[in-house]
Amino acid sequence: MPGPAQQQGWSLAELVGRFGGELLGAGDVRVRSVATLASAGPGDLTFLSNPRYFSDAGATRASAILLSPAQRDAVLPGIDLVINFAAESHVDRSISG
């Protein structure tokens, strides 16, 4: 049985605060699960990692989409966007070659 946090989900502001990134849209939007662009519905966070699927992003029913910094200027009406800078900021640069 899901716990209270899973039932209520997490706000986009909470996710960005915990994992890093930039939020474009409402920070109080809540998501409960992650799904593909095609299967996502309200309350889902989806992701767009391959530009080939950008046209599918406009038809998703997800509450929010996780994008890369290169996709920052994406215009997707009615969908809040989370721009993921966390992957870039967590690169270990202590090893030089």
Side-chain angles (χ1 to χ4, degrees):
M1 179 168 204
Q6 291 171 318
Q7 291 173 352
Q8 295 177 6
W10 298 269
S11 73
L12 296 181
E14 290 170 328
L15 292 174
V16 168
R18 178 163 182 149
F19 299 108
E22 176 185 7
L23 175 62
L24 302 178
D28 62 343
V29 170
R30 299 193 79 77
V31 293
R32 292 181 302 280
S33 59
V34 176
T36 65
L37 283 168
S39 66
D44 288 333
L45 173 66
T46 192
F47 56 93
L48 182 58
S49 59
N50 187 330
R52 167 175 33 183
Y53 297 108
F54 187 81
S55 61
D56 296 340
T60 189
R61 294 181 22 227
S63 294
I65 298 180
L66 180 65
L67 300 171
S68 72
Q71 298 162 325
R72 184 190 190 287
D73 295 327
V75 177
L76 300 168
I79 300 173
D80 292 297
L81 307 175
V82 177
I83 312 302
N84 181 14
F85 292 110
E88 290 183 9
S89 66
H90 287 64
V91 174
D92 184 351
R93 301 192 193 286
S94 65
I95 301 172
S96 59

